[in-house]
Amino acid sequence: MNPIKHVAIIMDGNGRWGEKYKNSRNAGHKAGVNTVEIVMNESIKKKIQYLTLYAFSTENWKRPKKEITFLFTLLENFLIKKIDQLIKGGIKIRFIGNLKILPKKLQKTMKMAEKKTSINNKLEVNIALNYGSKSEIINAIKVINKNQKKITEKNIEDNLYTKNIPNPDILIRTGNTQRLSNFLLWQLAYTEIFFEKKLWPDFNKKDFKNFLNKFKSLKRNFGLI
Ligand code: IPE
Ligand code: IPE
Ligand code: MG
């Protein structure tokens, strides 16, 4: 049976869900927050150590400003409202991505959440925000060159946002779309990928548990026979 240390998720389909049921894409983003909580709680129960959630890509800036502002406000309110619950739950929050260009107020709240949960160790939740895998890799190579080090797998990994985090065992993408959309291209080299037809707000505990169980019975070869 394969142990599960790290689950990564591309939480897709919020906009379509909102349009379908509430005539508003943003309503779908709001509904998606519930699924985040379900998945966090279940990950703790299953003793998963890392959960990496794709919340906003470097390409998502191309969306209407109103939707972008809504997404950032939603995250900010979530962090403020749920901080005590996160602390109590033993959840350590971390953000990965090009964070410096995010709105200053949001950055402050993100730092607060990271600081207040920094000593927690039940589950580390990495929220990928303004995250793009290609620029992450380019940046790693630039740092290696600057330090006049050799380009090796180890040196690249040590300069990714995910430094010291094991590569994901499982990637889940909801929303009936089968692509990676610039997410963890390096880190997913040997990850088992599960695509889910359901939109993110409809994804539930049972769906999540089913994927975890499927993973456990897989034969992982890593190039061996
Ligand atoms: C994923 O849902 C969340 C973000 C990208 C922020 P989408 O907003 O992409 O939902 P769809 O794919 O348009 O339905
Ligand atoms: C990927 O979803 C990014 C996040 C879930 C944050 P998108 O909806 O942006 O991906 P594409 O554009 O359909 O590939
Ligand atoms: Mg989408």
Side-chain angles (χ1 to χ4, degrees):
M1 232 173 35
N2 302 311
I4 309 173
K5 271 196 180 167
H6 186 177
V7 176
I9 306 182
I10 303 177
M11 312 182 287
D12 197 19
N14 287 347
R16 276 165 286 163
W17 189 96
E19 266 167 14
K20 191 172 163 198
Y21 296 104
K22 314 258 177 187
N23 205 18
S24 134
R25 289 183 52 85
N26 286 347
H29 293 309
K30 198 168 162 220
V33 177
N34 292 331
T35 314
V36 172
E37 291 195 80
I38 290 170
V39 165
M40 283 205 274
N41 291 335
E42 198 52 34
S43 296
I44 293 176
K45 264 200 208 152
K46 293 285 182 263
K47 300 204 160 44
I48 291 163
Q49 284 164 9
Y50 303 91
L51 183 65
T52 300
L53 304 173
Y54 204 4
F56 193 87
S57 73
T58 46
E59 289 73 27
N60 287 145
W61 290 107
K62 293 173 197 151
R63 295 188 179 200
K65 194 164 174 277
K66 256 180 92 177
E67 180 167 339
I68 297 173
T69 310
F70 186 88
L71 282 165
F72 291 160
T73 309
L74 192 66
L75 173 64
E76 204 178 328
N77 290 342
F78 173 81
L79 293 172
I80 294 169
K81 241 173 84 184
K82 302 283 173 174
I83 190 67
D84 290 336
Q85 211 170 301
L86 294 169
I87 296 170
K88 268 197 209 127
I91 293 174
K92 176 176 178 169
I93 297 282
R94 260 198 50 187
F95 292 91
I96 60 169
N98 182 4
L99 309 175
K100 284 174 296 204
I101 66 162
L102 292 166
K104 288 282 169 293
K105 196 162 148 270
L106 174 63
Q107 282 192 52
K108 237 179 107 185
T109 308
M110 287 159 57
K111 284 206 184 99
M112 174 281 292
E114 283 187 332
K115 204 171 149 213
K116 286 198 173 173
T117 62
S118 65
I119 57 161
N120 285 351
N121 58 10
K122 259 199 191 153
L123 172 71
E124 180 170 317
V125 177
N126 301 302
I127 302 176
L129 201 61
N130 192 22
Y131 174 88
S133 185
K134 286 188 180 174
S135 72
E136 179 189 30
I137 294 168
I138 289 172
N139 184 56
I141 292 169
K142 280 185 183 161
V143 175
I144 295 167
N145 278 340
K146 202 172 126 217
N147 296 337
Q148 299 184 322
K149 293 262 174 60
K150 275 193 192 152
I151 304 284
T152 62
E153 283 193 20
K154 167 97 175 56
N155 284 340
I156 289 179
E157 277 165 7
D158 282 349
N159 287 288
L160 297 175
Y161 299 123
T162 49
K163 181 184 179 197
N164 295 330
I165 300 175
N167 290 325
D169 301 296
I170 300 176
L171 171 76
I172 297 170
R173 179 172 189 147
T174 60
N176 200 18
T177 302
Q178 307 193 357
R179 55 176 170 254
L180 296 179
S181 304
N182 204 12
F183 191 47
L184 304 176
L185 301 179
W186 175 283
Q187 295 88 336
L188 296 176
Y190 259 103
T191 300
E192 306 294 339
I193 303 183
F194 298 96
F195 292 109
E196 166 62 52
K197 285 207 172 88
K198 281 188 185 178
L199 305 170
W200 179 248
D202 287 331
F203 188 67
N204 60 34
K205 192 160 105 178
K206 197 168 154 232
D207 300 323
F208 187 55
K209 279 161 91 170
N210 279 344
F211 283 141
L212 301 182
N213 286 334
K214 264 193 196 161
F215 170 84
K216 281 185 195 154
S217 58
L218 287 175
K219 186 168 179 281
R220 302 187 84 190
N221 289 354
F222 297 106
L224 283 83
I225 53 169

